[in-house]
Amino acid sequence: IRDSSWDVQKSLQVKRILLWSEQGIGDTLNWASCLPLVASLAEHTILECQEKVVCLLARSFPDIEVKPEDRSMDAERDDFDFHLPMGSLYRQFFPNIGENSNTEAYLIPDPARVKFWRKRLSLLGKGPYIGISWKSSKVSPFRLKHYPPILEWSSVLTVPDVTFINLQYSDFTDDLNDIKNELGVTVYNFDDLDQYNAVDDVVRGLWWERPQSWAFKEASHINLGEARALKKELRALASNVQHHRSRRVFCLDSRVV
């Protein structure tokens, strides 16, 4: 892409901006929370992202042109004035994010799939229904140490009167068997659900709630969504004199605490 990168100091009045995904779909959906902020500033906003989330994001943000990413045309294209990778959105809009107390969902699933899954889940019991996913498909020795063995989820999985649904999209069969055999808990798996590609089916049940307080012992990194939930604990951690110069919180490449 030609050198026309955008930052919040540059006016977008009567300008077109191209936003593009450079990480996985989880990051894309997380950063999508900033799309209305960009669209409110620009004459026209284009988002290029992974093909499997195009329909979801186009439905959720009708004022934005959403289309599959196509890097083959980057060098010749002239349909934008500025561009920005989605991963830089938080850095540009962090003050706005901090002031926004709105916790409403911003992703709008397909209504037909919502109806389908509500009916299907009701056949399992009254709920509540909690989808779980516990590791990435990209596992290296470094990353593996950040994913606890599934039986260490026992305090969560043994919560009474909860119906758990498998949203893990790879390498889950042995773990589901361990949960059943060791904990006596069934995590329901739908064999006909493609947890990796059927994004509209997976997100139909994502009603997000922010807990009043979280506790944590150690983390090498957290995303901004987790940082919001952990605001009370992060402030306490940062203000404790014994942690001076030993604990920092980063939002991508910007230190924010």
Side-chain angles (χ1 to χ4, degrees), residues 1 6 12 16-22 28 31-40 42 44-50 57 61 64-71 77 79-89 92-93:
I1 294 180
W6 179 76
L12 286 175
R16 303 161 299 171
I17 184 169
L18 167 66
L19 304 173
W20 47 280
S21 299
E22 83 277 25
T28 297
W31 296 328
S33 61
C34 292
L35 292 178
L37 293 171
V38 183
S40 68
H44 185 61
T45 302
I46 303 169
L47 170 62
E48 292 195 352
C49 57
Q50 299 89 342
L57 293 178
F61 304 100
I64 294 175
E65 180 183 355
V66 184
K67 53 187 180 180
E69 56 191 354
D70 182 3
R71 302 293 165 79
R77 65 189 305 173
D79 59 338
F80 64 90
D81 300 296
F82 296 107
H83 76 89
L84 190 72
M86 287 193 77
S88 296
L89 285 171
Q92 301 300 332
F93 289 107

Side-chain angles (χ1 to χ4, degrees), residues 2-15:
R2 54 194 168 87
D3 186 15
S4 53
S5 58
W6 179 76
D7 66 63
V8 76
Q9 303 301 320
K10 299 175 183 177
S11 174
L12 286 175
Q13 288 187 351
V14 302
K15 298 294 184 180

Side-chain angles (χ1 to χ4, degrees), residues 134-135 149-151 171-180:
W134 53 94
K135 57 187 174 183
I150 191 62
L151 293 181
D171 190 27
F172 57 78
T173 302
D174 289 343
D175 286 342
L176 295 188
N177 288 334
D178 286 344
I179 295 170
K180 178 66 174 178

Side-chain angles (χ1 to χ4, degrees), residues 21-31 50 52-53 138:
S21 299
E22 83 277 25
Q23 300 292 332
I25 68 164
D27 297 303
T28 297
L29 297 180
N30 194 11
W31 296 328
Q50 299 89 342
K52 61 185 174 182
V53 297
K138 297 180 179 179

Side-chain angles (χ1 to χ4, degrees), residues 15-255:
K15 298 294 184 180
R16 303 161 299 171
I17 184 169
L18 167 66
L19 304 173
W20 47 280
S21 299
E22 83 277 25
Q23 300 292 332
I25 68 164
D27 297 303
T28 297
L29 297 180
N30 194 11
W31 296 328
S33 61
C34 292
L35 292 178
L37 293 171
V38 183
S40 68
L41 300 176
E43 179 177 280
H44 185 61
T45 302
I46 303 169
L47 170 62
E48 292 195 352
C49 57
Q50 299 89 342
E51 185 171 6
K52 61 185 174 182
V53 297
V54 167
C55 289
L56 172 64
L57 293 178
R59 185 188 310 112
S60 303
F61 304 100
D63 296 331
I64 294 175
E65 180 183 355
V66 184
K67 53 187 180 180
E69 56 191 354
D70 182 3
R71 302 293 165 79
S72 65
M73 58 182 288
D74 284 352
E76 294 79 25
R77 65 189 305 173
D78 61 357
D79 59 338
F80 64 90
D81 300 296
F82 296 107
H83 76 89
L84 190 72
M86 287 193 77
S88 296
L89 285 171
Y90 279 171
R91 182 174 67 175
Q92 301 300 332
F93 289 107
F94 188 77
N96 308 71
I97 296 170
E99 294 170 1
N100 182 18
S101 60
N102 180 21
T103 59
E104 293 297 318
Y106 55 87
L107 297 177
I108 302 175
D110 181 349
R113 302 311 293 167
V114 170
K115 183 178 180 180
F116 171 84
W117 280 106
R118 279 180 175 166
K119 181 178 180 180
R120 191 171 187 183
L121 290 174
S122 69
L123 299 177
L124 301 179
K126 65 177 183 178
Y129 312 103
I130 298 179
I132 61 171
S133 179
W134 53 94
K135 57 187 174 183
S136 171
S137 61
K138 297 180 179 179
V139 177
S140 65
F142 173 77
R143 301 191 75 186
L144 188 60
K145 65 183 181 181
H146 299 292
Y147 301 119
I150 191 62
L151 293 181
E152 291 189 13
W153 282 57
S154 60
S155 61
V156 174
L157 294 170
T158 54
V159 172
D161 302 319
V162 169
T163 301
F164 291 102
I165 310 297
N166 176 46
L167 296 182
Q168 179 64 37
Y169 53 86
S170 65
D171 190 27
F172 57 78
T173 302
D174 289 343
D175 286 342
L176 295 188
N177 288 334
D178 286 344
I179 295 170
K180 178 66 174 178
N181 296 332
E182 299 296 329
L183 303 178
V185 174
T186 297
V187 176
Y188 291 93
N189 180 65
F190 297 102
D191 292 332
D192 58 339
L193 173 62
D194 183 350
Q195 293 99 333
Y196 187 74
N197 290 305
V199 176
D200 260 317
D201 286 284
V202 173
V203 302
R204 57 89 21 218
L206 295 184
W207 291 291
W208 295 100
E209 295 183 3
R210 184 183 304 175
Q212 294 297 316
S213 177
W214 284 34
F216 64 97
K217 295 180 179 179
E218 180 181 352
S220 62
H221 69 280
I222 58 175
N223 61 42
L224 190 62
E226 293 166 330
R228 287 176 176 173
L230 294 167
K231 183 188 296 184
K232 176 182 176 181
E233 285 75 15
L234 286 173
R235 285 179 173 171
L237 183 68
S239 62
N240 191 324
V241 67
Q242 77 179 66
H243 295 147
H244 183 57
R245 296 186 179 277
S246 66
R247 297 292 186 271
R248 295 178 180 180
V249 177
F250 289 81
C251 175
L252 297 179
D253 57 346
S254 299
R255 191 174 72 191

